[in-house]
Amino acid sequence: DQQVKQNSPSLSVQEGRISILNCDYTNSMFDYFLWYKKYPAEGPTFLISISSIKDKNEDGRFTVFLNKSAKHLSLHIVPSQPGDSAVYFCAASGVETSGSRLTFGEGTQLTVNP
Amino acid sequence: GAGVSQSPSNKVTEKGKDVELRCDPISGHTALYWYRQSLGQGLEFLIYFQGNSAPDKSGLPSDRFSAERTGGSVSTLTIQRTQQEDSAVYLCASSEPWGETQYFGPGTRLTVL
């Protein structure tokens, strides 16, 4: 049972344009959501997070939007840069889950072309 | 400051052998997690330690897997009688007490021949 899904395995955008990565979840007990970026042969790097009491969180070029009714979140990167090329994972945790154990999506490979 | 460190970075072993993977969390982080990422898959939760509480082992795939955390700091993940399906990248993460954000180490790539 995949509780967090990233339906797009890959996304390609031009440098300077907007990248939009999407994530859907099924567990209504999730109340905290995170995005991680992963380069090959490295561990995931925390990017940005959002609590379920908010619908938007912004940090520089990165904005995460949360639509609780649709159980959907998205990560916007504006403007996209070639160095943003990586695998992006969304993750979720909730009060019902052990501690803050994270449930991850399958990841989306973002490629930003110069 | 220093991040989460893991050793070894790569481990190649023969089927049936035991392996130990080590994780050094960020200093002061009382919560420690192990995950694994198999080829083409997302990250899968394995086990969680919080301070001196009993660990949550609900994600361990079989009784061949075990983990310890000594002195509330360093953790060792042990896989006994390794199988080829154990091949994966094993990732360790730590967080502040009851913190929501987990910080990951670089991982150990395990290959079982």
Side-chain angles (χ1 to χ4, degrees), chain B residues 21-73:
Chain B
L21 312 179
R22 177 187 168 104
C23 171
D24 279 276
I26 294 172
S27 177
H29 282 193
T30 60
L32 187 149
Y33 303 79
W34 283 98
Y35 296 84
R36 74 174 175 182
Q37 184 181 17
S38 303
L39 189 64
Q41 304 292 316
L43 281 76
E44 172 192 6
F45 167 78
L46 296 178
I47 187 169
Y48 158 62
F49 296 89
Q50 174 60 271
N52 295 321
S53 303
D56 174 4
K57 305 178 182 180
S58 61
L60 295 178
S62 79
D63 59 8
R64 296 186 295 103
F65 288 71
S66 62
E68 288 186 338
R69 190 176 186 194
T70 54
S73 180

Side-chain angles (χ1 to χ4, degrees), chain A residues 6-114:
Chain A
Q6 293 175 255
N7 290 313
S8 298
S10 64
L11 175 67
S12 183
V13 300
Q14 285 299 121
E15 181 178 6
R17 306 295 288 269
I18 184 171
S19 296
I20 301 176
L21 297 108
N22 293 302
C23 180
D24 297 291
Y25 62 96
T26 57
N27 189 337
S28 58
M29 300 306 296
F30 287 146
D31 62 1
Y32 195 75
F33 304 88
L34 308 90
W35 285 94
Y36 285 84
K37 179 170 74 171
K38 187 179 184 303
Y39 294 117
E42 294 184 12
T45 302
F46 169 71
L47 203 53
I48 193 169
S49 62
I50 188 167
S51 164
S52 60
I53 61 173
K54 294 185 175 182
D55 55 16
K56 177 182 174 181
N57 189 25
E58 192 172 353
D59 184 2
R61 295 186 298 115
F62 303 92
T63 303
V64 56
F65 295 92
L66 176 63
N67 183 333
K68 283 186 65 180
S69 61
K71 295 190 177 65
H72 177 83
L73 67 154
S74 61
L75 174 68
H76 292 209
I77 307 174
V78 180
S80 302
Q81 300 173 353
D84 296 330
S85 298
V87 177
Y88 289 77
F89 290 97
C90 73
S93 68
V95 293
E96 288 285 302
T97 58
S98 172
S100 296
R101 63 181 275 188
L102 297 174
T103 301
F104 283 85
E106 308 93 325
T108 297
Q109 171 70 58
L110 173 66
T111 302
V112 180
N113 301 303

